[in-house]
PDB file of all heavy atoms in Angstrom:
ATOM      1  N   ILE A 112      -7.637  -1.954  21.532  1.00 81.00           N
ATOM      2  CA  ILE A 112      -8.731  -2.076  20.577  1.00 81.00           C
ATOM      3  C   ILE A 112      -9.792  -3.002  21.154  1.00 81.00           C
ATOM      4  O   ILE A 112      -9.470  -3.974  21.850  1.00 81.00           O
ATOM      5  CB  ILE A 112      -8.208  -2.583  19.215  1.00 81.00           C
ATOM      6  CG1 ILE A 112      -9.264  -2.405  18.133  1.00 81.00           C
ATOM      7  CG2 ILE A 112      -7.733  -4.017  19.289  1.00 81.00           C
ATOM      8  CD1 ILE A 112      -8.696  -2.470  16.726  1.00 81.00           C
ATOM      9  N   LEU A 113     -11.040  -2.701  20.901  1.00 83.00           N
ATOM     10  CA  LEU A 113     -12.148  -3.460  21.455  1.00 83.00           C
ATOM     11  C   LEU A 113     -12.200  -4.862  20.859  1.00 83.00           C
ATOM     12  O   LEU A 113     -11.798  -5.074  19.703  1.00 83.00           O
ATOM     13  CB  LEU A 113     -13.467  -2.742  21.188  1.00 83.00           C
ATOM     14  CG  LEU A 113     -13.638  -1.363  21.850  1.00 83.00           C
ATOM     15  CD1 LEU A 113     -14.924  -0.698  21.382  1.00 83.00           C
ATOM     16  CD2 LEU A 113     -13.622  -1.497  23.361  1.00 83.00           C
ATOM     17  N   PRO A 114     -12.707  -5.839  21.632  1.00 86.00           N
ATOM     18  CA  PRO A 114     -12.782  -7.215  21.132  1.00 86.00           C
ATOM     19  C   PRO A 114     -13.539  -7.343  19.810  1.00 86.00           C
ATOM     20  O   PRO A 114     -13.154  -8.133  18.938  1.00 86.00           O
ATOM     21  CB  PRO A 114     -13.507  -7.960  22.262  1.00 86.00           C
ATOM     22  CG  PRO A 114     -13.181  -7.180  23.486  1.00 86.00           C
ATOM     23  CD  PRO A 114     -13.131  -5.741  23.046  1.00 86.00           C
ATOM     24  N   GLY A 115     -14.630  -6.566  19.663  1.00 85.00           N
ATOM     25  CA  GLY A 115     -15.379  -6.627  18.414  1.00 85.00           C
ATOM     26  C   GLY A 115     -14.541  -6.207  17.219  1.00 85.00           C
ATOM     27  O   GLY A 115     -14.584  -6.835  16.157  1.00 85.00           O
ATOM     28  N   ALA A 116     -13.764  -5.141  17.399  1.00 86.00           N
ATOM     29  CA  ALA A 116     -12.896  -4.675  16.319  1.00 86.00           C
ATOM     30  C   ALA A 116     -11.807  -5.704  16.019  1.00 86.00           C
ATOM     31  O   ALA A 116     -11.428  -5.903  14.860  1.00 86.00           O
ATOM     32  CB  ALA A 116     -12.272  -3.336  16.679  1.00 86.00           C
ATOM     33  N   LEU A 117     -11.298  -6.354  17.068  1.00 90.00           N
ATOM     34  CA  LEU A 117     -10.305  -7.418  16.851  1.00 90.00           C
ATOM     35  C   LEU A 117     -10.883  -8.550  16.004  1.00 90.00           C
ATOM     36  O   LEU A 117     -10.214  -9.085  15.127  1.00 90.00           O
ATOM     37  CB  LEU A 117      -9.822  -7.965  18.204  1.00 90.00           C
ATOM     38  CG  LEU A 117      -8.810  -7.121  18.966  1.00 90.00           C
ATOM     39  CD1 LEU A 117      -8.549  -7.738  20.343  1.00 90.00           C
ATOM     40  CD2 LEU A 117      -7.500  -7.007  18.182  1.00 90.00           C
ATOM     41  N   LEU A 118     -12.138  -8.911  16.281  1.00 92.00           N
ATOM     42  CA  LEU A 118     -12.794  -9.941  15.482  1.00 92.00           C
ATOM     43  C   LEU A 118     -12.907  -9.496  14.035  1.00 92.00           C
ATOM     44  O   LEU A 118     -12.646 -10.267  13.101  1.00 92.00           O
ATOM     45  CB  LEU A 118     -14.176 -10.247  16.061  1.00 92.00           C
ATOM     46  CG  LEU A 118     -15.047 -11.218  15.241  1.00 92.00           C
ATOM     47  CD1 LEU A 118     -14.366 -12.575  15.116  1.00 92.00           C
ATOM     48  CD2 LEU A 118     -16.433 -11.354  15.872  1.00 92.00           C
ATOM     49  N   GLY A 119     -13.288  -8.234  13.830  1.00 90.00           N
ATOM     50  CA  GLY A 119     -13.392  -7.719  12.468  1.00 90.00           C
ATOM     51  C   GLY A 119     -12.063  -7.747  11.745  1.00 90.00           C
ATOM     52  O   GLY A 119     -11.982  -8.144  10.573  1.00 90.00           O
ATOM     53  N   ILE A 120     -10.997  -7.339  12.440  1.00 90.00           N
ATOM     54  CA  ILE A 120      -9.657  -7.355  11.841  1.00 90.00           C
ATOM     55  C   ILE A 120      -9.249  -8.781  11.477  1.00 90.00           C
ATOM     56  O   ILE A 120      -8.699  -9.037  10.397  1.00 90.00           O
ATOM     57  CB  ILE A 120      -8.636  -6.728  12.806  1.00 90.00           C
ATOM     58  CG1 ILE A 120      -8.906  -5.226  12.942  1.00 90.00           C
ATOM     59  CG2 ILE A 120      -7.205  -6.964  12.325  1.00 90.00           C
ATOM     60  CD1 ILE A 120      -8.128  -4.566  14.053  1.00 90.00           C
ATOM     61  N   ALA A 121      -9.533  -9.744  12.387  1.00 91.00           N
ATOM     62  CA  ALA A 121      -9.186 -11.142  12.125  1.00 91.00           C
ATOM     63  C   ALA A 121      -9.941 -11.681  10.908  1.00 91.00           C
ATOM     64  O   ALA A 121      -9.370 -12.395  10.077  1.00 91.00           O
ATOM     65  CB  ALA A 121      -9.487 -11.994  13.357  1.00 91.00           C
ATOM     66  N   LEU A 122     -11.225 -11.325  10.796  1.00 91.00           N
ATOM     67  CA  LEU A 122     -12.007 -11.782   9.641  1.00 91.00           C
ATOM     68  C   LEU A 122     -11.461 -11.191   8.342  1.00 91.00           C
ATOM     69  O   LEU A 122     -11.338 -11.890   7.329  1.00 91.00           O
ATOM     70  CB  LEU A 122     -13.482 -11.388   9.820  1.00 91.00           C
ATOM     71  CG  LEU A 122     -14.288 -12.185  10.849  1.00 91.00           C
ATOM     72  CD1 LEU A 122     -15.673 -11.586  11.009  1.00 91.00           C
ATOM     73  CD2 LEU A 122     -14.391 -13.651  10.434  1.00 91.00           C
ATOM     74  N   VAL A 123     -11.162  -9.904   8.373  1.00 88.00           N
ATOM     75  CA  VAL A 123     -10.634  -9.259   7.167  1.00 88.00           C
ATOM     76  C   VAL A 123      -9.297  -9.885   6.770  1.00 88.00           C
ATOM     77  O   VAL A 123      -9.090 -10.259   5.606  1.00 88.00           O
ATOM     78  CB  VAL A 123     -10.487  -7.742   7.380  1.00 88.00           C
ATOM     79  CG1 VAL A 123      -9.725  -7.109   6.220  1.00 88.00           C
ATOM     80  CG2 VAL A 123     -11.856  -7.087   7.514  1.00 88.00           C
ATOM     81  N   SER A 124      -8.375 -10.029   7.735  1.00 90.00           N
ATOM     82  CA  SER A 124      -7.063 -10.595   7.426  1.00 90.00           C
ATOM     83  C   SER A 124      -7.177 -12.035   6.936  1.00 90.00           C
ATOM     84  O   SER A 124      -6.554 -12.416   5.938  1.00 90.00           O
ATOM     85  CB  SER A 124      -6.154 -10.538   8.658  1.00 90.00           C
ATOM     86  OG  SER A 124      -5.714  -9.233   8.897  1.00 90.00           O
ATOM     87  N   GLY A 125      -7.962 -12.843   7.664  1.00 90.00           N
ATOM     88  CA  GLY A 125      -8.115 -14.239   7.264  1.00 90.00           C
ATOM     89  C   GLY A 125      -8.750 -14.379   5.900  1.00 90.00           C
ATOM     90  O   GLY A 125      -8.314 -15.197   5.073  1.00 90.00           O
ATOM     91  N   GLY A 126      -9.796 -13.588   5.655  1.00 89.00           N
ATOM     92  CA  GLY A 126     -10.447 -13.647   4.353  1.00 89.00           C
ATOM     93  C   GLY A 126      -9.526 -13.217   3.229  1.00 89.00           C
ATOM     94  O   GLY A 126      -9.517 -13.816   2.149  1.00 89.00           O
ATOM     95  N   ILE A 127      -8.727 -12.187   3.487  1.00 86.00           N
ATOM     96  CA  ILE A 127      -7.791 -11.698   2.467  1.00 86.00           C
ATOM     97  C   ILE A 127      -6.747 -12.765   2.135  1.00 86.00           C
ATOM     98  O   ILE A 127      -6.501 -13.073   0.968  1.00 86.00           O
ATOM     99  CB  ILE A 127      -7.115 -10.398   2.930  1.00 86.00           C
ATOM    100  CG1 ILE A 127      -8.121  -9.252   2.952  1.00 86.00           C
ATOM    101  CG2 ILE A 127      -5.943 -10.035   2.016  1.00 86.00           C
ATOM    102  CD1 ILE A 127      -7.598  -7.978   3.574  1.00 86.00           C
ATOM    103  N   ILE A 128      -6.118 -13.330   3.156  1.00 86.00           N
ATOM    104  CA  ILE A 128      -5.065 -14.320   2.917  1.00 86.00           C
ATOM    105  C   ILE A 128      -5.622 -15.552   2.211  1.00 86.00           C
ATOM    106  O   ILE A 128      -4.957 -16.153   1.352  1.00 86.00           O
ATOM    107  CB  ILE A 128      -4.376 -14.697   4.241  1.00 86.00           C
ATOM    108  CG1 ILE A 128      -3.596 -13.486   4.780  1.00 86.00           C
ATOM    109  CG2 ILE A 128      -3.430 -15.887   4.062  1.00 86.00           C
ATOM    110  CD1 ILE A 128      -2.987 -13.703   6.148  1.00 86.00           C
ATOM    111  N   SER A 129      -6.868 -15.938   2.546  1.00 84.00           N
ATOM    112  CA  SER A 129      -7.451 -17.119   1.906  1.00 84.00           C
ATOM    113  C   SER A 129      -7.616 -16.942   0.401  1.00 84.00           C
ATOM    114  O   SER A 129      -7.706 -17.925  -0.347  1.00 84.00           O
ATOM    115  CB  SER A 129      -8.803 -17.448   2.543  1.00 84.00           C
ATOM    116  OG  SER A 129      -9.786 -16.494   2.188  1.00 84.00           O
ATOM    117  N   LEU A 130      -7.647 -15.691  -0.069  1.00 78.00           N
ATOM    118  CA  LEU A 130      -7.755 -15.445  -1.506  1.00 78.00           C
ATOM    119  C   LEU A 130      -6.536 -15.950  -2.278  1.00 78.00           C
ATOM    120  O   LEU A 130      -6.599 -16.147  -3.491  1.00 78.00           O
ATOM    121  CB  LEU A 130      -7.936 -13.944  -1.771  1.00 78.00           C
ATOM    122  CG  LEU A 130      -9.291 -13.340  -1.412  1.00 78.00           C
ATOM    123  CD1 LEU A 130      -9.228 -11.829  -1.469  1.00 78.00           C
ATOM    124  CD2 LEU A 130     -10.372 -13.859  -2.340  1.00 78.00           C
ATOM    125  N   ALA A 131      -5.423 -16.125  -1.567  1.00 77.00           N
ATOM    126  CA  ALA A 131      -4.204 -16.557  -2.234  1.00 77.00           C
ATOM    127  C   ALA A 131      -4.147 -18.067  -2.449  1.00 77.00           C
ATOM    128  O   ALA A 131      -3.300 -18.555  -3.205  1.00 77.00           O
ATOM    129  CB  ALA A 131      -2.982 -16.120  -1.423  1.00 77.00           C
ATOM    130  N   PHE A 132      -5.034 -18.816  -1.792  1.00 75.00           N
ATOM    131  CA  PHE A 132      -4.999 -20.280  -1.907  1.00 75.00           C
ATOM    132  C   PHE A 132      -5.508 -20.720  -3.275  1.00 75.00           C
ATOM    133  O   PHE A 132      -6.453 -20.157  -3.819  1.00 75.00           O
ATOM    134  CB  PHE A 132      -5.851 -20.918  -0.805  1.00 75.00           C
ATOM    135  CG  PHE A 132      -5.164 -21.002   0.526  1.00 75.00           C
ATOM    136  CD1 PHE A 132      -5.075 -19.878   1.331  1.00 75.00           C
ATOM    137  CD2 PHE A 132      -4.608 -22.187   0.969  1.00 75.00           C
ATOM    138  CE1 PHE A 132      -4.445 -19.926   2.567  1.00 75.00           C
ATOM    139  CE2 PHE A 132      -3.973 -22.256   2.196  1.00 75.00           C
ATOM    140  CZ  PHE A 132      -3.889 -21.125   2.999  1.00 75.00           C
ATOM    141  N   ARG A 133      -4.863 -21.737  -3.801  1.00 68.00           N
ATOM    142  CA  ARG A 133      -5.301 -22.409  -5.022  1.00 68.00           C
ATOM    143  C   ARG A 133      -5.676 -23.833  -4.624  1.00 68.00           C
ATOM    144  O   ARG A 133      -4.802 -24.642  -4.341  1.00 68.00           O
ATOM    145  CB  ARG A 133      -4.185 -22.417  -6.075  1.00 68.00           C
ATOM    146  CG  ARG A 133      -3.744 -21.030  -6.508  1.00 68.00           C
ATOM    147  CD  ARG A 133      -4.817 -20.341  -7.339  1.00 68.00           C
ATOM    148  NE  ARG A 133      -4.545 -18.937  -7.580  1.00 68.00           N
ATOM    149  CZ  ARG A 133      -3.760 -18.462  -8.510  1.00 68.00           C
ATOM    150  NH1 ARG A 133      -3.081 -19.293  -9.291  1.00 68.00           N
ATOM    151  NH2 ARG A 133      -3.610 -17.161  -8.682  1.00 68.00           N
ATOM    152  N   GLY A 134      -6.973 -24.126  -4.573  1.00 63.00           N
ATOM    153  CA  GLY A 134      -7.396 -25.389  -4.004  1.00 63.00           C
ATOM    154  C   GLY A 134      -7.141 -25.372  -2.511  1.00 63.00           C
ATOM    155  O   GLY A 134      -7.517 -24.440  -1.804  1.00 63.00           O
ATOM    156  N   ARG A 135      -6.468 -26.400  -2.002  1.00 61.00           N
ATOM    157  CA  ARG A 135      -6.135 -26.458  -0.577  1.00 61.00           C
ATOM    158  C   ARG A 135      -4.679 -26.087  -0.317  1.00 61.00           C
ATOM    159  O   ARG A 135      -4.183 -26.233   0.797  1.00 61.00           O
ATOM    160  CB  ARG A 135      -6.404 -27.868  -0.024  1.00 61.00           C
ATOM    161  CG  ARG A 135      -7.871 -28.255  -0.056  1.00 61.00           C
ATOM    162  CD  ARG A 135      -8.075 -29.612   0.619  1.00 61.00           C
ATOM    163  NE  ARG A 135      -9.497 -29.954   0.659  1.00 61.00           N
ATOM    164  CZ  ARG A 135      -9.976 -31.064   1.213  1.00 61.00           C
ATOM    165  NH1 ARG A 135      -9.126 -31.938   1.774  1.00 61.00           N
ATOM    166  NH2 ARG A 135     -11.270 -31.304   1.209  1.00 61.00           N
ATOM    167  N   GLN A 136      -3.994 -25.650  -1.342  1.00 61.00           N
ATOM    168  CA  GLN A 136      -2.571 -25.380  -1.210  1.00 61.00           C
ATOM    169  C   GLN A 136      -2.283 -23.892  -1.369  1.00 61.00           C
ATOM    170  O   GLN A 136      -2.999 -23.167  -2.061  1.00 61.00           O
ATOM    171  CB  GLN A 136      -1.763 -26.174  -2.254  1.00 61.00           C
ATOM    172  CG  GLN A 136      -1.851 -27.685  -2.076  1.00 61.00           C
ATOM    173  CD  GLN A 136      -0.992 -28.418  -3.095  1.00 61.00           C
ATOM    174  OE1 GLN A 136      -0.596 -27.851  -4.105  1.00 61.00           O
ATOM    175  NE2 GLN A 136      -0.712 -29.682  -2.812  1.00 61.00           N
ATOM    176  N   LEU A 137      -1.221 -23.476  -0.713  1.00 61.00           N
ATOM    177  CA  LEU A 137      -0.721 -22.107  -0.853  1.00 61.00           C
ATOM    178  C   LEU A 137       0.628 -22.204  -1.553  1.00 61.00           C
ATOM    179  O   LEU A 137       1.676 -22.258  -0.918  1.00 61.00           O
ATOM    180  CB  LEU A 137      -0.580 -21.433   0.504  1.00 61.00           C
ATOM    181  CG  LEU A 137      -0.131 -19.964   0.491  1.00 61.00           C
ATOM    182  CD1 LEU A 137      -1.160 -19.099  -0.229  1.00 61.00           C
ATOM    183  CD2 LEU A 137       0.066 -19.449   1.907  1.00 61.00           C
ATOM    184  N   SER A 138       0.582 -22.287  -2.872  1.00 60.00           N
ATOM    185  CA  SER A 138       1.806 -22.426  -3.661  1.00 60.00           C
ATOM    186  C   SER A 138       2.117 -21.079  -4.309  1.00 60.00           C
ATOM    187  O   SER A 138       1.563 -20.719  -5.348  1.00 60.00           O
ATOM    188  CB  SER A 138       1.630 -23.508  -4.737  1.00 60.00           C
ATOM    189  OG  SER A 138       2.779 -23.618  -5.539  1.00 60.00           O
ATOM    190  N   VAL A 139       2.985 -20.331  -3.662  1.00 63.00           N
ATOM    191  CA  VAL A 139       3.324 -18.984  -4.134  1.00 63.00           C
ATOM    192  C   VAL A 139       4.843 -18.863  -4.225  1.00 63.00           C
ATOM    193  O   VAL A 139       5.529 -18.786  -3.201  1.00 63.00           O
ATOM    194  CB  VAL A 139       2.769 -17.901  -3.175  1.00 63.00           C
ATOM    195  CG1 VAL A 139       3.030 -16.511  -3.738  1.00 63.00           C
ATOM    196  CG2 VAL A 139       1.278 -18.110  -2.941  1.00 63.00           C
ATOM    197  N   PRO A 140       5.406 -18.867  -5.426  1.00 70.00           N
ATOM    198  CA  PRO A 140       6.867 -18.772  -5.559  1.00 70.00           C
ATOM    199  C   PRO A 140       7.450 -17.538  -4.872  1.00 70.00           C
ATOM    200  O   PRO A 140       8.576 -17.556  -4.391  1.00 70.00           O
ATOM    201  CB  PRO A 140       7.080 -18.715  -7.079  1.00 70.00           C
ATOM    202  CG  PRO A 140       5.857 -19.342  -7.659  1.00 70.00           C
ATOM    203  CD  PRO A 140       4.739 -18.981  -6.730  1.00 70.00           C
ATOM    204  N   SER A 141       6.670 -16.474  -4.820  1.00 71.00           N
ATOM    205  CA  SER A 141       7.165 -15.218  -4.239  1.00 71.00           C
ATOM    206  C   SER A 141       6.743 -15.050  -2.785  1.00 71.00           C
ATOM    207  O   SER A 141       6.744 -13.928  -2.277  1.00 71.00           O
ATOM    208  CB  SER A 141       6.650 -14.031  -5.056  1.00 71.00           C
ATOM    209  OG  SER A 141       5.234 -14.016  -5.050  1.00 71.00           O
ATOM    210  N   LEU A 142       6.389 -16.151  -2.097  1.00 79.00           N
ATOM    211  CA  LEU A 142       5.861 -16.065  -0.735  1.00 79.00           C
ATOM    212  C   LEU A 142       6.765 -15.281   0.218  1.00 79.00           C
ATOM    213  O   LEU A 142       6.280 -14.408   0.945  1.00 79.00           O
ATOM    214  CB  LEU A 142       5.594 -17.466  -0.185  1.00 79.00           C
ATOM    215  CG  LEU A 142       4.993 -17.531   1.229  1.00 79.00           C
ATOM    216  CD1 LEU A 142       3.658 -16.809   1.284  1.00 79.00           C
ATOM    217  CD2 LEU A 142       4.833 -18.986   1.666  1.00 79.00           C
ATOM    218  N   PRO A 143       8.098 -15.549   0.275  1.00 85.00           N
ATOM    219  CA  PRO A 143       8.944 -14.772   1.199  1.00 85.00           C
ATOM    220  C   PRO A 143       8.899 -13.273   0.910  1.00 85.00           C
ATOM    221  O   PRO A 143       8.875 -12.453   1.849  1.00 85.00           O
ATOM    222  CB  PRO A 143      10.345 -15.342   0.969  1.00 85.00           C
ATOM    223  CG  PRO A 143      10.121 -16.711   0.420  1.00 85.00           C
ATOM    224  CD  PRO A 143       8.881 -16.583  -0.424  1.00 85.00           C
ATOM    225  N   TYR A 144       8.878 -12.901  -0.371  1.00 87.00           N
ATOM    226  CA  TYR A 144       8.840 -11.482  -0.717  1.00 87.00           C
ATOM    227  C   TYR A 144       7.470 -10.880  -0.419  1.00 87.00           C
ATOM    228  O   TYR A 144       7.366  -9.716   0.000  1.00 87.00           O
ATOM    229  CB  TYR A 144       9.194 -11.282  -2.192  1.00 87.00           C
ATOM    230  CG  TYR A 144      10.645 -11.558  -2.492  1.00 87.00           C
ATOM    231  CD1 TYR A 144      11.057 -12.781  -3.021  1.00 87.00           C
ATOM    232  CD2 TYR A 144      11.618 -10.605  -2.223  1.00 87.00           C
ATOM    233  CE1 TYR A 144      12.389 -13.033  -3.275  1.00 87.00           C
ATOM    234  CE2 TYR A 144      12.956 -10.848  -2.481  1.00 87.00           C
ATOM    235  CZ  TYR A 144      13.335 -12.066  -3.001  1.00 87.00           C
ATOM    236  OH  TYR A 144      14.657 -12.316  -3.245  1.00 87.00           O
ATOM    237  N   ALA A 145       6.401 -11.658  -0.634  1.00 86.00           N
ATOM    238  CA  ALA A 145       5.059 -11.169  -0.329  1.00 86.00           C
ATOM    239  C   ALA A 145       4.902 -10.932   1.173  1.00 86.00           C
ATOM    240  O   ALA A 145       4.346  -9.915   1.602  1.00 86.00           O
ATOM    241  CB  ALA A 145       4.007 -12.156  -0.831  1.00 86.00           C
ATOM    242  N   LEU A 146       5.395 -11.871   1.999  1.00 90.00           N
ATOM    243  CA  LEU A 146       5.337 -11.692   3.446  1.00 90.00           C
ATOM    244  C   LEU A 146       6.240 -10.539   3.892  1.00 90.00           C
ATOM    245  O   LEU A 146       5.883  -9.769   4.792  1.00 90.00           O
ATOM    246  CB  LEU A 146       5.756 -12.983   4.151  1.00 90.00           C
ATOM    247  CG  LEU A 146       4.751 -14.144   4.070  1.00 90.00           C
ATOM    248  CD1 LEU A 146       5.346 -15.403   4.683  1.00 90.00           C
ATOM    249  CD2 LEU A 146       3.445 -13.780   4.767  1.00 90.00           C
ATOM    250  N   GLY A 147       7.403 -10.425   3.254  1.00 92.00           N
ATOM    251  CA  GLY A 147       8.291  -9.297   3.555  1.00 92.00           C
ATOM    252  C   GLY A 147       7.630  -7.971   3.223  1.00 92.00           C
ATOM    253  O   GLY A 147       7.768  -6.985   3.970  1.00 92.00           O
ATOM    254  N   THR A 148       6.879  -7.944   2.120  1.00 91.00           N
ATOM    255  CA  THR A 148       6.139  -6.739   1.758  1.00 91.00           C
ATOM    256  C   THR A 148       5.131  -6.385   2.842  1.00 91.00           C
ATOM    257  O   THR A 148       4.974  -5.217   3.221  1.00 91.00           O
ATOM    258  CB  THR A 148       5.405  -6.944   0.418  1.00 91.00           C
ATOM    259  OG1 THR A 148       6.368  -7.257  -0.602  1.00 91.00           O
ATOM    260  CG2 THR A 148       4.642  -5.691   0.016  1.00 91.00           C
TER     261      THR A 148
END
Side-chain angles (χ1 to χ4, degrees):
I112 193 162
L113 296 174
L117 282 174
L118 174 61
I120 292 169
L122 287 174
V123 171
S124 286
I127 290 172
I128 293 174
S129 71
L130 288 169
F132 280 78
R133 299 290 170 82
R135 295 185 177 181
Q136 296 182 343
L137 183 63
S138 178
V139 185
S141 60
L142 182 60
Y144 290 99
L146 288 174
T148 301

